[in-house]
Amino acid sequence: MRQEIEQAFANVCNELFNTVLEVELTRPNEQFGDYSTNVALQLSKKLGKSPRELAEQITSNLQNQLLNIKEINVAGSGFINMRLTDDALLSLVNAIPNQSLAGKTVVTEYSDPNPFKVMHAGHLYTSVVGDAVSKLLETAGAKVYRVNFGGDVGLHVAKTMWAILQEIGGENPEKLNKITEKAEWLSDCYVTGTAKYDSDNIAKNEIISINKRVYKIFDDGDKDSPFAQIYWECRSWSYDYFNEFYKRIGSHFDKYYPESETAKFGLQKAKELLEQGVLEKSNGAVVFKGENHGLHTRVFINSEGLPTYESKDLGLTIAKIDDFHPDKMVIITGNDIVEYMKVVLKVLEHFDPVHAQATKHLTHGMVRLAGGTKMSSRKGNILKAVDVIDAAQMANETATGQKSESTALAAVKYAFLKNRIGGDIVYDPAESVALEGNSGPYLQYAHARARSILNKTQSTDSRQTTIGSFEKDERSLLRKIGEYAETVDKSVQELTPHHICTYLYELAQEFNRFYEHNRVIDDPRQSVRLFLTKSYADTLKNGLELLNILAPNRM
């Protein structure tokens, strides 16, 4: 309907003024109408005429063309406001989001924890955002493949392996059986190895040697040497830990790409690009001179002939394209690698400009607890992913006296998603679990409350909801429910889940106002109001599910 109205305005403007315009309707405050457009102001700049005069001319020609419009008028300096018929509003309740990505394949890559290290709050954030973005893309009709990328080779692995060997007294894989808190132990080993690498030259050289040995495990296909057994066992601990955590928060992935796999693709491609002149040699390394493109120089093969993160990321991109043949790729990371990814994508552009153009890189800031400090996995004082969820559970138990994993997860996810992606997140556990205010648990409670109302009667007949059947408060609620599909469309277009959060909170507030002044059960208008209550509850549930948040029937 919205597109039809926009097209009607565009057609009239073309007929009257021989001007092609892209008309966009907005949602004004309810007192002004259901839709509004500033098309007359746009025309005024082009034609040099009074916008109000142009607006009156446009509305005069549209009066009898739009059957869904009950009122159309000119306000202020030339804004055109419209009020829909009740029947038109009712039709928006059942509107589905635009299937703009039907038939398209999208690969979303997010979370990306490294084996041999602990998952920190940033991994939790990208997991939550990645889940929501993936669901938005699926709602628009796309086939979405969720993938994960992590460093199972590289200097951080070597640092951890060095400390592991110190802890178990050398290459003695049988001693790993004594380790209980495996993920925590690996994290401690990483901190120890990093500290030694930074402060002890002998340890540093040993770690550099171990780094080469880890790569050689893959070159030789070694599964049996004591060193390899230690590596493979500890790597499996990390993956078990990741999988358990993803299960806990309701995430899933279609494929996990380890750097050991993508490194070979990236190294091969880097060598090809060197021969083609895209990359060049510099001080024994192979680099991309980004300054020629307004970027900076990055190393793709180091002086020891090993692939760097840049080559591994390039290999990852090649693997994703080969595996899924995507029409679009979305990558979600911290904003500390913005310039880095620009270089990787610029190199991709030299041999696959289509996929380089079809890649969207979303970035975010740091996650801190309110009053907390900056994370540093190198120093061991990181804010772990589990710390954030545990803090929410403790805050909820303090506030309600109840333990609820689903409430804690709703609190965390909504607190992350209600902010636009990009800036730092300061997470306040107490605020996030509040049953009053803009929080996930508040929306869960709002849904449960609506279901409770519906459970009081078996009748949810909506057949009496015909033209002219809605009173003022009913119409206001109906109007808000009808904005859902448009909100989803906007979120899909911008890949911004926070629009969904804002809408759901406003929707819950609108229902509260309605319910405060209108009886639903045992009222002459029960049928209409039960229909509105059910439509509200269904919409709330759909929105929460888009955010990967459970919508419980009871709380």
Side-chain angles (χ1 to χ4, degrees):
M1 182 193 307
R2 180 184 183 128
Q3 288 83 355
E4 291 175 3
I5 297 172
E6 289 173 339
Q7 189 58 54
F9 270 92
N11 292 342
V12 166
C13 290
N14 191 24
E15 293 169 5
L16 292 176
F17 313 110
N18 194 29
T19 301
V20 177
L21 285 177
E22 186 171 335
V23 180
E24 182 178 359
L25 300 182
T26 58
R27 287 278 192 172
N29 289 335
E30 187 176 7
Q31 59 181 314
F32 300 116
D34 300 316
Y35 286 124
S36 181
T37 177
N38 66 348
V39 65
L41 279 74
Q42 296 179 53
L43 282 169
S44 176
K45 296 176 182 178
K46 289 189 174 186
L47 304 178
K49 294 184 179 181
S50 162
R52 186 170 183 90
E53 179 184 330
L54 292 170
E56 289 173 347
Q57 194 173 353
I58 292 168
T59 56
S60 176
N61 279 267
L62 278 172
Q63 286 288 354
N64 299 317
Q65 292 190 33
L66 299 172
L67 299 179
N68 292 320
I69 302 298
K70 181 166 60 176
E71 299 174 13
I72 183 169
N73 56 70
V74 179
S77 59
F79 287 94
I80 301 174
N81 295 326
M82 292 150 276
R83 196 171 301 278
L84 298 176
T85 64
D86 284 1
D87 213 24
L89 272 184
L90 183 59
S91 70
L92 290 178
V93 171
N94 298 316
I96 62 171
N98 194 329
Q99 299 297 286
S100 57
L101 296 175
K104 301 294 184 182
T105 297
V106 182
V107 173
T108 55
E109 178 215 324
Y110 56 97
S111 193
D112 297 345
N114 289 321
F116 297 88
K117 294 172 69 175
V118 73
M119 294 180 75
H120 57 65
H123 295 126
L124 173 59
Y125 181 86
T126 53
S127 299
V128 169
V129 171
D131 288 338
V133 168
S134 298
K135 284 179 173 287
L136 282 172
L137 293 166
E138 287 172 334
T139 300
K143 171 61 179 176
V144 177
Y145 293 98
R146 298 160 172 82
V147 305
N148 205 323
F149 179 51
D152 65 333
V153 292
L155 198 55
H156 76 277
V157 176
K159 292 173 182 177
T160 306
M161 284 291 291
W162 180 90
I164 289 172
L165 296 177
Q166 302 301 310
E167 288 286 324
I168 63 175
E171 297 180 17
N172 302 303
E174 67 279 1
K175 291 188 177 181
L176 292 175
N177 295 329
K178 298 179 181 180
I179 308 302
T180 53
E181 299 295 328
K182 297 179 174 63
E184 292 293 332
W185 186 74
L186 288 178
S187 177
D188 291 341
C189 286
Y190 171 72
V191 173
T192 300
T194 299
K196 282 292 186 179
Y197 182 88
D198 293 339
S199 63
D200 186 329
N201 283 332
I202 294 177
K204 181 176 181 178
N205 290 329
E206 290 174 348
I207 289 169
I208 290 172
S209 176
I210 287 174
N211 191 30
K212 294 177 182 178
R213 289 187 67 187
V214 171
Y215 277 102
K216 196 170 187 302
I217 287 174
F218 290 91
D219 292 339
D220 297 344
D222 184 4
K223 298 280 187 178
D224 301 321
S225 71
F227 181 81
Q229 288 181 50
I230 294 168
Y231 171 84
W232 290 112
E233 178 70 12
C234 292
R235 197 187 86 148
S236 71
W237 290 355
S238 289
Y239 286 134
D240 290 343
Y241 159 62
F242 296 159
N243 290 335
E244 191 63 31
F245 182 78
Y246 291 135
K247 181 180 178 181
R248 180 181 183 186
I249 66 172
S251 295
H252 73 277
F253 292 92
D254 297 288
K255 186 159 186 175
Y256 193 103
Y257 289 98
E259 283 184 8
S260 57
E261 180 180 324
T262 68
K264 57 186 177 183
F265 301 133
L267 184 60
Q268 178 183 348
K269 178 56 71 172
K271 291 177 179 178
E272 292 175 9
L273 294 173
L274 175 62
E275 293 179 1
Q276 297 166 10
V278 176
L279 303 182
E280 57 187 270
K281 289 188 176 181
S282 176
N283 298 321
V286 176
V287 305
F288 176 73
K289 290 293 183 67
E291 285 79 6
N292 298 329
H293 305 277
L295 303 170
H296 62 277
T297 294
R298 301 291 306 193
V299 177
F300 279 73
I301 304 176
N302 67 22
S303 58
E304 297 180 350
L306 295 177
T308 60
Y309 285 120
E310 288 80 355
S311 280
K312 295 167 188 174
D313 254 314
L314 193 63
L316 170 66
T317 302
I318 293 169
K320 289 190 291 188
I321 294 169
D322 288 346
D323 288 341
F324 302 109
H325 310 289
D327 299 287
K328 183 181 181 72
M329 294 189 288
V330 179
I331 304 169
I332 305 172
T333 72
N335 57 23
D336 55 322
I337 66 167
V338 171
E339 297 304 317
Y340 162 87
M341 281 303 302
K342 286 180 181 178
V343 173
V344 173
L345 292 176
K346 178 57 70 173
V347 173
L348 175 65
E349 189 178 299
H350 279 80
F351 65 92
D352 193 341
V354 173
H355 283 105
Q357 185 67 30
T359 299
K360 176 73 172 177
H361 183 206
L362 300 177
T363 64
H364 61 84
M366 301 289 289
V367 179
R368 299 180 178 88
L369 284 177
T373 58
K374 186 176 180 179
M375 299 182 306
S376 173
S377 59
R378 291 167 58 86
K379 297 178 181 178
N381 61 343
I382 66 169
L383 176 60
K384 294 180 290 187
V386 293
D387 292 340
V388 178
I389 300 175
D390 290 345
Q393 286 181 317
M394 290 177 61
N396 182 60
E397 189 171 356
T398 299
T400 66
Q402 297 179 344
K403 293 182 179 180
S404 172
E405 177 91 343
S406 67
T407 300
L409 289 174
V412 172
K413 291 178 181 181
Y414 190 84
F416 286 173
L417 294 171
K418 72 179 182 181
N419 298 289
R420 179 180 286 274
I421 302 170
D424 288 356
I425 299 293
V426 179
Y427 174 66
D428 186 329
E431 180 183 283
S432 75
V433 301
L435 288 178
E436 295 181 357
N438 191 8
S439 75
Y442 166 75
L443 293 177
Q444 286 186 312
Y445 173 75
H447 176 264
R449 182 189 187 198
R451 294 298 179 191
S452 175
I453 295 169
L454 294 170
N455 288 339
K456 293 178 181 178
T457 176
Q458 297 300 313
S459 173
T460 55
D461 186 6
S462 62
R463 287 174 293 180
Q464 294 184 38
T465 51
T466 57
I467 295 175
S469 67
F470 296 106
E471 295 181 349
K472 183 179 181 299
D473 289 349
E474 296 168 349
R475 191 184 193 283
S476 296
L477 177 56
L478 183 68
R479 179 183 186 270
K480 195 64 186 178
I481 295 170
E483 293 178 21
Y484 176 71
E486 295 173 14
T487 303
V488 174
D489 291 343
K490 184 177 182 179
S491 294
V492 170
Q493 185 177 9
E494 299 178 7
L495 293 182
T496 47
H498 78 276
H499 291 309
I500 304 295
C501 297
T502 300
Y503 167 78
L504 294 179
Y505 180 55
E506 291 176 352
L507 176 64
Q509 289 181 307
E510 190 65 56
F511 181 80
N512 287 344
R513 284 190 288 270
F514 164 78
Y515 192 63
E516 184 179 352
H517 297 106
N518 299 277
R519 179 188 293 272
V520 174
I521 306 299
D522 296 330
D523 187 273
R525 300 188 60 77
Q526 174 175 300
S527 179
V528 172
R529 292 175 181 176
L530 282 173
F531 163 79
L532 288 171
T533 302
K534 185 176 186 303
S535 298
Y536 157 72
D538 290 346
T539 302
L540 200 54
K541 180 179 181 180
N542 291 339
L544 286 171
E545 289 179 346
L546 266 185
L547 305 177
N548 205 24
I549 293 175
L550 177 69
N553 291 333
R554 292 194 182 102
M555 281 188 74

